[in-house]
Amino acid sequence: MSGQVFTTGRRVRFADCDAAGIVFFPRYFEMLNGVVEDWFAGPLQTSFRELHANRRVSVPTAAVEARFIAPSGLEDDLTFTLTVTRLGLTSCSLRHRITAGGALRFEASQTFVYVGASLKPEPWPDGLRARIAPYLETAE
């Protein structure tokens, strides 16, 4: 697969862990939301503040599927990668992978929808769509 990959990192914090000292599974979903938010604010040049407060639009998750491969623990340095698997008229599907020390810990697919002030799906604005498109996976 080719296409650009958005990569970021984060250390597992005490607040991320359960009593067993491993990442409490819902925290991964919070982390993924942070990765998407960073992707929008960074390469997509459209922060969530711009979307939600200024444009009065949102990108809610419509579907997510996850696989928990291996546990992550306190102070593990996680690497997050994001690619686009499908870019539709009003939606976008992502592939997430979380690794630590090169070992896969978690992977997920996520679909979110561009939703206007009417709370109904709307087509991606041309500029935003053009900035998402380079992250689309293509067969080599």
Side-chain angles (χ1 to χ4, degrees), residues 47-127:
S47 71
F48 272 26
R49 177 185 203 102
E50 171 65 22
L51 286 175
H52 295 91
N54 299 347
R55 297 185 189 183
R56 304 277 190 234
V57 299
S58 61
V59 287
T61 296
V64 65
E65 184 176 323
R67 280 190 345 121
F68 301 88
I69 288 97
S72 297
L74 184 61
E75 297 186 359
D76 281 354
D77 289 314
L78 304 179
T79 300
F80 299 80
T81 60
L82 173 157
T83 57
V84 175
T85 58
R86 189 185 66 76
L87 180 55
L89 179 66
T90 63
S91 65
C92 181
S93 297
L94 305 176
R95 180 184 325 277
H96 294 278
R97 292 172 53 85
I98 300 174
T99 60
L104 184 62
R105 301 288 178 87
F106 174 91
E107 62 185 1
S109 59
Q110 175 186 13
T111 300
F112 56 88
V113 180
Y114 189 83
V115 173
S118 67
L119 300 180
K120 295 195 183 317
E122 294 182 0
W124 291 102
D126 292 340

